[in-house]
């Protein structure tokens, strides 16, 4: 049952009961209207209170209904809101915990609003590439003013009910029991008699609305150049003061439908659902017990280890930070404190919280101190011998049942697990740098990893605020295996005549946060070089990336050396096109007899993005990733792929796999390694898609 109906004295209470966030799906909408009709025909009922059960008033629309059979099924949300607004009996919204999107629009359609303190209030549709589609752009400016409403709608910001207590949005702030206060207030309004106020009948008050929106348009165009929703929000808001309410509502609805059916919103919604799908473990029963994780050890206090430790300190967990010397471990402690102090200076962290987190940190030199820890994360140098040595030591001292995790980014987790007498307790937890900032966590499931270890690791990832994606074991897992193919294709562009800045510019215009060569300079080109040297040794037939090897042989590792693919001014991070790199490329072209060719931005983008797609298809075919959407989540959260394009696999679906295959076959005419993956061939032949 999605709504509940009860009567307290002379007040009917309609409660939305659709956990977890009381989404406004069809059954809820129907239940609200039926409850309203029931209250209106009951002569004993004088007023109505609308609220939500559990931990939300309402989190808004049920996006799973979008573009589905329920999309146009009556009653739609606007029909529900009109029924509330036109009720002859007063309707009071009792708002608590969360009122977002359609949930806030529902509250604004009520005659009165009573709020609990600390509730999160937002019209956040813009984050999904949409605008409020049930009167939000028309009612909010009438309630809290044009400027405050524009800020909330265009940026999708969440504000507490306390901050909005004097804004005009709420008629009363509850000081005790919210529902009791709302029922008492509803009875009071019913006794007052007369007509009850409708937000639609108010005017938007501003001394120069046209001038204000003109300035807002310029700011939005600069900040959201790839996203249509913020501009559409401004168009709808403009209608709130230029047109009668119903005409403004019609414009809002038209703009909403345009956005909902457009590629950007579809991509953003896909990215949203990808995160949630990644958390599901189809072959691990929900009844699988968790392992308790209350204390964590991190072995390796370098940049990665100290960043990993911060995640657990932030979550309120004690952390033992271990390194081989007092100097090394204290350097890690200083790095952690420095990061926290920077947040304090920016006003993002309270000084008392800083000290509380540091008090949970236990710097140690001996690995013996992992003995009472529930989870031990190895974060030593990316070298198999170093990791095997560490795991042999951990196997001797870690308590039975402790989870032993390696932070390797490419190495064989099964080989590491086999070094212990407890391979079932070993898992890969691949954090991305900087580990205290990046949201992605690849959870690498070894052949022997126990189901409860996997489940516990996924839940722990959620506890520390990460987007966790399960990967099988292979060289590079999901993300780095794909990026290796992407980087190799980028290298081929250089070998054939492109320059690093041309390649980077093309993919950055496509929407990636950073092109492959700027990314290499930032991460350190020596890291990729070390991985390549290992792979050359393991597979002598592997194609060599000679240009990148020469760059590294010259000591040009990127930002940290002041020179890489680009040049860097000391103390600055701006990448400056390098005459030195251009000369190196020209020398290589002469040596190899290459006549440099020109590449269009379109071809550069196709070659690099389709390289990701082709490797992603291989990963799916091998079962390394369970879902195409898991690959998308990895790339959106770990590699700067534009969220508004959904991820590489979703982007390929939007292009159409027939056309993607056709382009790859064109490339393979000169290079057989471009042959489309078997999965792409099969799906293209069937006329279907990765996410079908």
């Amino acid at each position: 049952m999605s709504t509940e109906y009860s009567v307290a004295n002379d007040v009917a209470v309609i409660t939305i009961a659709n956990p977890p966030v009381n989404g406004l799906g069809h059954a809820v909408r129907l239940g609200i209207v039926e409850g309203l009709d029931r209250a209106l025909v009951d002569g004993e009922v004088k007023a109505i209170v609308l609220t939500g059960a559990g931990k939300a008033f309402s989190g808004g629309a049920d996006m799973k209904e979008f573009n589905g059979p329920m999309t146009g099924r009556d009653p739609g949300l606007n029909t529900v809101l009109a029924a509330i607004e036109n009720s002859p009996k007063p309707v009071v919204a009792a708002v608590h915990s969360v009122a977002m999107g359609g949930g806030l629009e529902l509250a604004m359609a009520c005659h009165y609003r009573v709020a609990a303190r600390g509730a999160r209030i937002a019209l956040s549709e813009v984050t999904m590439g949409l605008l409020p589609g049930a009167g939000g752009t028309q009612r909010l400016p009438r309630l809290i003013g044009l400027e405050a409403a524009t800020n909330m709608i265009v940026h999708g910001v969440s504000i507490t009910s306390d901050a909005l207590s004097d804004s005009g949005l709420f008629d009363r702030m509850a000081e005790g029991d919210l529902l009791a206060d709302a029922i008492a207030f509803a009875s009071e309004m019913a006794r007052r008699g007369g007509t009850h106020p409708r937000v639609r009948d108010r005017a938007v008050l501003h001394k120069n609305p046209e001038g204000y929106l003109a300035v807002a348009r310029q700011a939005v165009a600069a900040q959201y150049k790839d996203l249509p929703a913020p501009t559409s929000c401004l168009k709808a808001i403009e209608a709130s003061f230029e047109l009668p309410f119903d005409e403004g509502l019609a414009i809002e609805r038209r703009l909403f439908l345009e956005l909902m059916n457009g590629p950007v919103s579809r991509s953003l919604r896909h990215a949203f659902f990808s995160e949630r799908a990644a958390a599901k473990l189809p072959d691990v029963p929900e009844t699988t017990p968790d392992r308790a994780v209350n204390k964590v050890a991190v072995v390796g206090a370098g940049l990665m280890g100290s960043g990993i430790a911060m995640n657990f300190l932030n979550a309120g967990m004690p952390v033992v930070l271990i390194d081989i010397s007092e100097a090394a471990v204290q350097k890690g402690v200083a790095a952690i404190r420095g990061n926290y102090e920077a947040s304090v200076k920016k006003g993002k962290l309270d000084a008392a919280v800083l000290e509380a987190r540091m008090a949970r940190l236990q710097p140690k030199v001996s690995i013996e101190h992992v003995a009472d820890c529930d989870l031990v994360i190895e974060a030593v140098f990316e070298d198999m011998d170093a990791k095997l040595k560490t795991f042999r030591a951990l196997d001797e001292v870690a308590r039975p049942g402790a989870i032993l995790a390696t932070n390797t980014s490419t190495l064989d987790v099964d080989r590491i697990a086999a070094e212990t007498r407890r391979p079932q307790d070993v898992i890969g937890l691949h954090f991305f740098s900087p580990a205290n900032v990046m949201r992605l966590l690849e959870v690498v499931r070894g052949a022997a990893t126990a189901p409860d270890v996997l489940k516990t690791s996924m839940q722990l990832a959620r506890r520390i605020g990460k987007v966790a994606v399960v990967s099988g074991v292979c060289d590079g897992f999901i993300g780095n295996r794909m990026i290796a193919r992407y980087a190799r294709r980028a290298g081929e562009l250089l070998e054939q005549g492109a320059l690093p800045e041309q390649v980077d510019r093309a993919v950055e215009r496509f929407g990636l946060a950073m092109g492959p060569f700027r990314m290499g300079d930032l991460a350190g080109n020596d890291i990729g070089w070390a991985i390549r040297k290992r792979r050359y040794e393991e597979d002598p037939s592997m194609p060599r990336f000679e240009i990148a090897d020469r760059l590294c042989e010259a000591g040009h590792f990127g930002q940290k050396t002041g020179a890489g693919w680009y040049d860097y001014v000391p103390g600055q991070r701006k990448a400056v096109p390098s005459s030195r790199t251009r000369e190196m490329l020209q020398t290589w072209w002469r040596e190899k007899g290459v006549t440099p060719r020109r590449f269009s931005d379109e071809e550069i983008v196709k070659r690099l993005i389709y390289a990701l797609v082709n490797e992603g298809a291989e990963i799916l075919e091998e079962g390394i990733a369970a879902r195409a959407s898991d690959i998308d989540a990895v790339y959106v959260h770990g590699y700067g792929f534009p969220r508004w394009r959904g991820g590489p696999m979703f982007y390929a679906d939007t292009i159409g796999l027939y056309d993607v295959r056709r382009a790859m076959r064109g490339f393979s005419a000169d290079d057989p390694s471009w042959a489309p993956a078997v999965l792409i061939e099969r799906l293209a032949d069937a006329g279907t898609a990765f996410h079908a």
Side-chain angles (χ1 to χ4, degrees):
M1 189 172 184
S2 298
T3 59
E4 298 169 354
Y5 183 91
S6 61
V7 177
N9 299 324
D10 58 354
V11 177
V13 178
I14 302 171
T15 303
I16 304 170
N18 184 26
V21 296
N22 292 327
L24 301 174
H26 177 261
V28 170
R29 301 193 301 271
L30 187 64
I32 292 172
V33 173
E34 289 177 347
L36 186 67
D37 289 343
R38 182 175 173 182
L40 292 179
V41 299
D42 187 340
E44 300 298 316
V45 169
K46 306 302 181 186
I48 302 158
V49 167
L50 180 62
T51 192
K55 298 180 179 180
F57 173 75
S58 172
D62 183 349
M63 286 195 298
K64 294 192 292 291
E65 290 189 356
F66 286 10
N67 301 116
M70 292 294 186
T71 300
R73 186 170 178 183
D74 290 330
L77 187 53
N78 274 311
T79 299
V80 175
L81 304 193
I84 291 171
E85 204 167 41
N86 294 323
S87 167
K89 297 180 181 181
V91 182
V92 177
V95 177
H96 67 91
S97 307
V98 173
M100 292 188 172
L104 180 55
E105 290 175 306
L106 180 67
M108 290 191 291
C110 296
H111 302 116
Y112 308 99
R113 285 154 295 283
V114 177
R117 296 197 176 275
R120 292 167 55 219
I121 310 298
L123 288 176
S124 54
E125 288 87 348
V126 72
T127 62
M128 294 295 153
L130 299 167
L131 53 71
T137 64
Q138 306 305 298
R139 290 188 176 94
L140 193 61
R142 287 169 160 84
L143 280 168
I144 69 172
L146 179 63
E147 295 188 20
T150 299
N151 185 56
M152 285 185 66
I153 293 167
V154 168
H155 303 296
V157 294
S158 172
I159 302 176
T160 66
S161 54
D162 305 71
L164 291 165
S165 61
D166 297 324
S167 67
L169 180 59
F170 301 118
D171 298 278
R172 180 173 293 182
M173 298 297 293
E175 298 301 335
D177 181 86
L178 171 66
L179 186 57
D181 279 7
I183 290 171
F185 183 76
S187 291
E188 180 185 336
M189 294 303 101
R191 290 193 299 271
R192 182 180 296 178
T195 59
H196 300 286
R198 303 188 306 174
V199 175
R200 63 177 291 143
D201 297 330
R202 302 187 186 192
V204 177
L205 301 177
H206 194 280
K207 59 183 179 182
N208 183 13
E210 293 88 354
Y212 169 73
L213 280 192
V215 173
R217 285 189 203 96
Q218 292 180 341
V220 162
Q223 186 174 354
Y224 300 110
K225 58 185 177 68
D226 294 315
L227 304 174
T231 298
S232 294
C233 286
L234 292 178
K235 291 178 182 177
I237 291 168
E238 183 178 27
S240 72
F241 61 81
E242 284 197 341
L243 298 171
F245 183 86
D246 286 328
E247 292 181 32
L249 203 63
I251 287 176
E252 177 194 83
R253 188 62 181 168
R254 174 178 61 79
L255 292 169
F256 175 85
L257 292 173
E258 287 175 1
L259 291 170
M260 185 179 76
N261 294 316
V264 172
S265 180
R266 286 202 302 270
S267 297
L268 289 169
R269 298 195 312 265
H270 169 75
F272 174 83
F273 285 117
S274 294
E275 292 177 31
R276 281 143 186 80
K280 297 176 181 176
L281 304 172
D283 61 340
V284 178
E286 290 187 9
T287 55
T288 302
D290 304 333
R291 296 196 188 186
V293 178
N294 298 311
K295 187 175 183 180
V296 177
V298 179
V299 181
L303 179 65
M304 181 59 76
S306 59
I308 291 171
M310 289 179 69
N311 291 284
F312 297 96
L313 296 173
N314 298 349
M317 302 172 69
V319 176
V320 180
L321 184 64
I322 298 172
D323 215 309
I324 58 174
S325 70
E326 186 65 26
V329 78
Q330 288 303 325
K331 185 177 179 181
V333 172
I336 292 171
R337 179 173 283 278
N339 283 332
Y340 284 143
E341 287 176 346
S343 295
V344 171
K345 287 178 181 178
K346 294 175 184 176
K348 296 180 178 180
L349 188 70
D350 187 81
V353 175
L354 181 158
E355 296 303 334
R357 291 179 180 177
M358 293 303 298
R360 291 193 285 271
L361 182 63
Q362 303 169 30
K364 301 291 181 182
V365 172
S366 172
I367 204 167
E368 302 289 335
H369 290 92
V370 309
D372 64 342
C373 294
D374 307 306
L375 167 67
V376 184
I377 302 174
E378 164 274 308
V380 304
F381 186 70
E382 186 74 351
D383 174 80
M384 180 59 85
D385 289 339
K387 291 184 184 293
L388 294 179
K389 180 181 178 182
T390 301
F391 269 79
R392 283 195 295 269
L394 292 177
D395 194 33
E396 294 298 326
V397 298
R399 70 166 182 80
I403 297 173
L404 306 183
T406 172
N407 181 54
T408 179
S409 57
T410 59
L411 299 177
D412 188 341
V413 173
D414 288 334
R415 185 178 172 194
I416 293 170
E419 199 69 13
T420 73
R421 293 162 294 182
R422 50 174 106 181
Q424 73 280 0
D425 295 337
V426 177
I427 196 164
L429 293 181
H430 176 209
F431 289 80
F432 285 68
S433 185
N436 55 306
V437 175
M438 296 292 286
R439 290 193 67 208
L440 179 64
L441 178 65
E442 277 186 318
V443 177
V444 185
R445 179 184 199 172
T449 302
D452 62 336
V453 169
L454 180 63
K455 183 183 178 188
T456 301
S457 298
M458 293 295 285
Q459 292 183 340
L460 191 61
R462 190 179 309 117
R463 187 172 166 186
I464 62 174
K466 300 297 185 186
V467 174
V469 178
V470 175
S471 172
V473 175
C474 66
D475 192 343
F477 316 128
I478 296 171
N480 282 342
R481 173 172 163 177
M482 289 172 64
I483 209 69
R485 180 65 65 92
Y486 167 89
R488 188 67 196 92
R489 297 302 185 192
E492 289 170 1
L493 291 169
L494 299 191
E495 291 169 353
Q496 296 174 45
L499 295 172
E501 55 267 29
Q502 294 174 327
V503 176
D504 286 350
R505 183 176 62 245
V507 293
E508 286 165 12
R509 285 175 175 170
F510 173 80
L512 268 74
M514 195 174 290
F517 300 107
R518 283 212 301 137
M519 183 172 66
D521 277 1
L522 176 63
N525 294 309
D526 53 323
I527 295 174
W529 189 33
I531 294 171
R532 287 197 304 279
K533 286 190 288 187
R534 172 178 63 80
R535 289 171 174 164
Y536 294 158
E537 186 176 336
E538 292 172 352
D539 180 9
S541 67
M542 174 184 171
R544 306 263 169 155
F545 189 2
E546 290 185 34
I547 295 174
D549 294 344
R550 289 186 186 185
L551 187 81
C552 292
E553 286 163 2
H556 299 151
F557 298 152
Q559 288 187 16
K560 60 188 173 185
T561 59
W565 296 107
Y566 297 87
D567 292 333
Y568 299 89
V569 176
Q572 298 183 17
R573 293 188 176 185
K574 182 180 179 182
V576 179
S578 171
S579 58
R580 170 192 43 75
T581 298
R582 183 175 295 216
E583 289 172 5
M584 182 187 72
L585 289 170
Q586 290 170 340
T587 299
W588 195 89
W589 295 331
R590 284 195 303 270
E591 289 177 4
K592 303 298 181 182
V594 173
T595 300
R597 57 161 292 199
R598 290 178 176 271
F599 291 94
S600 67
D601 282 3
E602 181 183 12
E603 183 176 355
I604 289 170
V605 168
K606 282 184 177 180
R607 284 179 177 270
L608 296 191
I609 303 306
Y610 292 176
L612 291 176
V613 172
N614 210 29
E615 194 69 17
E618 298 274 9
I619 285 170
L620 284 172
E621 188 80 1
E622 295 170 21
I624 299 299
R627 294 164 285 250
S629 62
D630 287 356
I631 295 173
D632 290 332
V634 165
Y635 266 80
V636 166
H637 292 286
Y639 293 87
F641 199 93
R643 187 179 180 89
W644 55 272
R645 290 195 187 274
M649 312 309 280
F650 186 80
Y651 175 72
D653 283 349
T654 66
I655 297 299
L657 293 188
Y658 177 88
D659 288 333
V660 170
R661 178 179 67 176
R662 185 167 176 265
M664 288 182 184
R665 285 178 172 177
F667 300 151
S668 69
D670 299 320
D671 181 356
S673 71
W674 265 107
V678 172
L679 180 60
I680 290 177
E681 293 280 12
R682 188 164 69 245
L683 295 176
D685 284 343
T688 185
F690 290 122
H691 299 90

